[in-house]
Amino acid sequence: MAVVKADLALCQGYANCVVAADDVFDIDDDGVVLVLRGEVPESERPRIVDAARTCPVSALEVADS
Amino acid sequence: MSPVTVIVGTSIGGVRTAQGLRAAGYDGEVLLVGEETALPYDKPPLSKGLLAGTSSIEDLTLLTERAAREAGIRLLLGRAATGLDIGTNTVTLADGERLRYDDVVIATGARARPSPWGEPRGVHVVRTLGDAQRLAVDLRRGGPLVVVGAGFIGAEVAATARGLGAADVTMVDPAPVPLSRVLDPEVARWFAGLHAGHGVTTRFGVGVEGIDRARDGLVVRLADGARLPAATVVVGIGAVPQDGWLRSSGLRIDDGVVCDRYSRAVGTEHVHAVGDVARWPHPRAGELVRAEHWTNAVEQAACVAHNITRPRQPRAHAPVEYVWSDQYDHTIQLTGRTGGRLGHLTVPGPDPDRSFAVLYADAEGTFTGAVTVNWPRALVACRQAVGTEAPAAEVRDRVTAARPRTTTGARP
């Protein structure tokens, strides 16, 4: 499994991650990222890494569990 | 011999193409070449955090030497490309070195449109790290600031300067409202009010005649005869693609590198273009477009990296336009086609004094795009609806759909 982490203080609500992977990321009413699934199977890692990389402020990280 | 991809340009488009090649499993050499000596850096914070002093150069760095080494990306910094020969597959650098390539990626971006009124000391543009650092020094010296151009850059600089405590900030634009290229006049007037409400003097609908040196600074002369004293002037009047180095390449250059839908320079298979310098046929626009936006560069870079790695299954670049701007404590986000002659309807947000969405529609009522203010959730719904041919009324319902309120508690 890969672990999905978000730095809520860095997040600016640009929402690129939600558009790239709305099964893993959402955004709250204050415009802060919500991680819907904190762990994703290895098979999904490339797609979620791509989604994390669309963050303009590098607030997202996909790490090894 | 392993294949070689030479990427010219070290801003977001070039860096993301290099990283994308590795992510796609490209096993050839990757050379990332740029004229600036600084490590590749990100540009959006230049008119915001870097200027305000809340972001450091390290925060802006897109690729450290170590990250480049680990990814197998060879960085050639401070090496301007001066020519491209598509007959011999070589890029020529200013120092005479020639780099052979199997694929080349043109990612040289755009430069600030220079001040047509000369550039006496105290007159700035904001495009590069050096530009922003020089402006930051002048802003800290104080004195009146005049911002010429009420587009994104001008608006962000004015907002940042006010945040730094600049007392006397004037914004000038020949258009009657700010952001006139992307907003209809009614919504644009709200933005004019945003600046005025934050203590910026706005002079819309009047052009600049000249910028003169005075005994103790500068004077900006307006077409209506007004003379604005200034210690610092920022000229934010757009950008022009950096395609001059391709003049003798034989490529079709017309306000950027003209590409096919796969972001390959027309008539070539191994010359690709990414970001502000690329002009390509956008399927929804029905014409060649050039986008000067961060997210477009990121998505186009991923597309080009895929196309280099898998040339037999090329992917077309058909992005949903997305731009953001941070002004004062407001997050402004645009997606799809907005402004111009499109009809629009306004949807109040959760905090009607601060947040709203404006949905744009064509003559048939089909949703084309939106601008949202302090309402990222609405932006997501709108961005997902662009290109789906949904009626604007249906998108409005999606934006306002009742849902349990969720917060991470990360914002006070």
Side-chain angles (χ1 to χ4, degrees):
Chain A
M1 297 289 265
V3 180
V4 185
K5 295 178 191 169
D7 186 330
L8 304 186
L10 272 183
C11 176
Q12 298 295 315
Y14 296 133
N16 280 351
C17 58
V18 187
V19 173
D22 63 3
D23 56 327
V24 173
F25 302 106
D26 198 358
I27 203 147
D28 78 4
D29 289 311
D30 295 326
V32 179
V33 66
L34 283 165
V35 178
L36 302 176
R37 289 159 56 201
E39 287 192 329
V40 295
E42 284 301 322
S43 59
E44 291 187 51
R45 185 195 280 248
R47 182 175 65 92
I48 307 308
V49 167
D50 279 353
R53 208 181 268 146
T54 63
C55 177
V57 289
S58 306
L60 302 173
E61 192 192 343
V62 182
D64 298 325
S65 60
Chain B
M1 223 162 84
S2 76
V4 179
T5 294
V6 173
I7 302 166
V8 185
T10 58
S11 198
I12 186 74
V15 170
R16 288 302 172 85
T17 306
Q19 293 171 325
L21 283 168
R22 291 303 181 219
Y26 183 76
D27 60 1
E29 276 186 64
V30 176
L31 273 66
L32 185 57
V33 190
E35 65 176 333
E36 289 186 74
T37 51
L39 281 170
Y41 60 88
D42 208 14
K43 291 203 164 97
L46 294 180
S47 51
K48 302 178 275 254
L50 189 94
L51 210 50
T54 53
S55 304
S56 66
I57 296 174
E58 288 72 37
D59 295 334
L60 269 61
T61 300
L62 289 170
L63 190 68
T64 61
E65 272 167 37
R66 185 175 161 196
R69 210 169 35 242
E70 284 174 0
I73 297 165
R74 216 175 116 209
L75 270 177
L76 297 176
L77 301 176
R79 313 279 300 274
T82 53
L84 173 69
D85 186 332
I86 59 173
T88 59
N89 285 23
T90 49
V91 172
T92 305
L93 303 183
D95 54 21
E97 190 179 345
R98 291 158 74 89
L99 306 173
R100 192 198 63 79
Y101 65 79
D102 294 281
D103 284 275
V104 64
V105 180
I106 299 164
T108 38
R111 64 192 164 86
R113 190 181 298 282
S115 158
W117 311 287
E119 288 171 17
R121 197 183 155 75
V123 175
H124 298 262
V125 294
V126 187
R127 188 75 198 179
T128 66
L129 182 60
D131 291 341
Q133 288 171 322
R134 283 186 291 274
L135 175 60
V137 169
D138 274 11
L139 286 182
R140 276 164 183 75
R141 279 202 193 111
L145 167 69
V146 175
V147 176
V148 182
F152 289 117
I153 290 285
E156 289 180 351
V157 168
T160 304
R162 285 291 296 144
L164 283 170
D168 186 351
V169 179
T170 305
M171 191 187 285
V172 183
D173 197 293
V177 286
L179 297 171
S180 55
R181 278 167 62 195
V182 289
L183 298 178
D184 63 279
E186 189 187 325
V187 178
R189 272 194 292 279
W190 184 89
F191 282 92
L194 177 68
H195 295 296
H198 282 84
V200 172
T201 305
T202 57
R203 296 298 313 270
F204 296 132
V206 56
V208 170
E209 295 259 285
I211 301 174
D212 302 328
R213 237 192 287 237
R215 201 166 19 161
D216 52 353
L218 299 161
V219 173
V220 180
R221 272 185 290 115
L222 303 188
D224 64 0
R227 299 166 70 83
L228 308 175
T232 304
V233 176
V234 173
V235 178
I237 53 171
V240 285
Q242 302 230 69
D243 52 19
W245 67 284
L246 299 165
R247 208 168 291 131
S248 60
S249 65
L251 296 179
R252 198 172 136 211
I253 306 295
D254 178 10
D255 184 35
V257 178
V258 179
C259 296
D260 64 16
R261 62 203 187 101
Y262 302 112
S263 294
R264 298 180 302 209
V266 285
T268 72
E269 282 182 35
H270 297 284
V271 181
H272 316 259
V274 157
D276 295 14
V277 76
R279 201 150 161 257
W280 85 103
H282 192 298
R284 275 192 305 281
E287 59 182 2
L288 290 169
V289 298
R290 198 167 66 72
E292 295 174 354
H293 309 311
W294 191 94
T295 303
N296 175 67
V298 167
E299 294 177 355
Q300 200 164 19
C303 178
V304 163
H306 170 95
N307 293 349
I308 290 172
T309 314
R310 295 184 176 67
R312 280 171 219 277
Q313 297 99 34
R315 248 170 37 198
H317 179 53
V320 170
E321 305 84 345
Y322 170 53
V323 197
W324 74 84
S325 179
D326 301 303
Q327 300 171 23
Y328 312 100
D329 54 348
H330 286 58
T331 300
I332 297 143
Q333 296 169 304
L334 290 90
T335 187
R337 280 192 300 127
T338 57
R341 294 208 182 92
L342 295 162
H344 70 273
L345 54 99
T346 302
V347 185
D351 177 356
D353 292 336
R354 270 178 55 80
S355 56
F356 61 88
V358 182
L359 276 46
Y360 291 86
D362 64 15
E364 283 79 47
T366 303
F367 176 71
T368 61
V371 52
T372 64
V373 175
N374 297 325
W375 198 7
R377 283 204 59 86
L379 182 276
V380 171
C382 292
R383 204 168 147 190
Q384 288 170 332
V386 170
T388 63
E389 304 285 312
E394 193 185 306
V395 178
R396 178 192 56 204
D397 294 345
R398 256 181 257 169
V399 165
T400 54
R403 53 185 288 281
R405 184 174 163 82
T406 55
T407 68
T408 54
R411 293 272 186 281

